[in-house]
Amino acid sequence: MTPKIFGLAEKNTDGTPDPDKVQIWGMELETRAVLFWLERGRSQFAVFDTAENANARFGDLFNLTLYRP
């Protein structure tokens, strides 16, 4: 299966994702979704069941929303 790319982006005023302001990128596989980011010069990652679950956790925490290019 080919991974599906997704991101967590800043919201426009209408609540839709701003594709130019994606803060965290990830990839969704058949059974998992993985987010990747750089924090204080170190690579970080988090694993979730789906991209929607990643959005529910990190999107709410950082006021971001799910973006699928």
Side-chain angles (χ1 to χ4, degrees), residues 43-62:
S43 296
Q44 304 289 327
F45 70 95
V47 180
F48 299 90
D49 290 333
T50 65
E52 287 76 13
N53 288 354
N55 181 52
R57 174 71 171 107
F58 277 64
D60 289 346
L61 186 64
F62 297 111

Side-chain angles (χ1 to χ4, degrees), residues 11-23:
K11 298 175 188 178
N12 290 314
T13 56
D14 64 358
T16 60
D18 184 335
D20 294 327
K21 295 183 180 176
V22 175
Q23 300 299 312

Side-chain angles (χ1 to χ4, degrees), residues 6 8 23-27 29 32-48 54 57-58 62:
F6 71 96
L8 297 180
Q23 300 299 312
I24 305 172
W25 285 104
M27 66 178 166
L29 304 166
R32 296 283 183 260
V34 184
L35 289 175
F36 302 94
W37 70 95
L38 193 62
E39 185 176 326
R40 296 184 187 144
R42 298 185 70 174
S43 296
Q44 304 289 327
F45 70 95
V47 180
F48 299 90
R57 174 71 171 107
F58 277 64
F62 297 111

